[in-house]
Amino acid sequence: PSPSPSQSNGTVTVSGSIVNGQAFLPVIIWQNTAQGWIHETGQALLDTGGTNQNILNGTALTQAGGQDNPGLGTIQQGGIGTGTVTGYYWPQIFVAPLANPQAYFIANQTLTSGLGPLVDQQEILNIGLGTLDHGQFMVHGDTWTWTYTPQG
C-alpha cells in the first residue's frame, strides 16, 4: 500500500489499498526511554475484526532499543498469528503515519506487546477498534481511508 496523508481542518486522512482482505499503514513508532527517544518503522494492520486494543510487536521494538516496563507485569492475550502469548507493557508510546511522523494517532500511551511469532516481522503494530473508532475508517471497494484528529 502507498498511503498518502492529507491534512485539513485539523484532521489527517491516510489511505491505502486492501490487499488479501487486509489494510496496512506504514507507521513510525516512537518511545521515550530512559536512554532517550527510539523509533521503529514498519507496517501496522488496521484491525477491524473486533479487537479494541492496540498490540505491539515487542521483538521489533526491543531490536530498536525500546523497553517494556517489567514493573507493570504481563498480560496473556490471543496473539495475532498464533495462540495465547504473553504480552508486556510498553510505556510512553507515540505512533504516526510514516509519511506524516508528527500526526500522532497514539500519543504517550502504554501499549502491550503480543503479536504472535508467525506475524511478518514488518508488522510492528495491530491497530484495534479502540483507536480506529476515534476517527472515520471507510472502505471503498479495494481502497480504504481513515480520517482522524491528531493527538498532542
Side-chain angles (χ1 to χ4, degrees), residues 69-82:
N69 183 340
L72 296 175
T74 61
I75 183 172
Q76 297 298 309
Q77 52 192 359
I80 310 299
T82 188

Side-chain angles (χ1 to χ4, degrees), residues 80-117:
I80 310 299
T82 188
T84 302
V85 296
T86 300
Y88 300 88
Y89 290 91
W90 297 75
Q92 297 184 308
I93 298 291
F94 297 76
V95 184
L98 184 58
N100 196 348
Q102 300 303 314
Y104 305 119
F105 52 85
I106 296 172
N108 201 24
Q109 292 184 18
T110 297
L111 301 182
T112 58
S113 61
L115 289 179

Side-chain angles (χ1 to χ4, degrees), residues 19-136:
V19 179
N20 296 326
Q22 297 178 316
F24 283 95
L25 171 67
V27 295
I28 185 165
I29 296 178
W30 299 91
Q31 184 185 32
N32 188 6
T33 70
Q35 285 72 39
W37 287 93
I38 64 99
H39 69 278
E40 181 62 59
T41 61
Q43 299 293 322
L45 174 65
L46 305 177
D47 187 355
T48 61
T51 183
N52 276 326
Q53 65 185 0
N54 304 304
I55 303 174
L56 293 168
N57 180 332
T59 302
L61 287 180
T62 299
Q63 291 172 350
Q67 300 170 343
D68 62 68
N69 183 340
L72 296 175
T74 61
I75 183 172
Q76 297 298 309
Q77 52 192 359
I80 310 299
T82 188
T84 302
V85 296
T86 300
Y88 300 88
Y89 290 91
W90 297 75
Q92 297 184 308
I93 298 291
F94 297 76
V95 184
L98 184 58
N100 196 348
Q102 300 303 314
Y104 305 119
F105 52 85
I106 296 172
N108 201 24
Q109 292 184 18
T110 297
L111 301 182
T112 58
S113 61
L115 289 179
L118 299 181
V119 171
D120 181 338
Q121 289 302 303
Q122 288 302 303
E123 187 177 330
I124 61 171
L125 178 65
N126 185 77
I127 301 170
L129 290 174
T131 296
L132 288 176
D133 286 347
H134 287 285
Q136 184 175 22

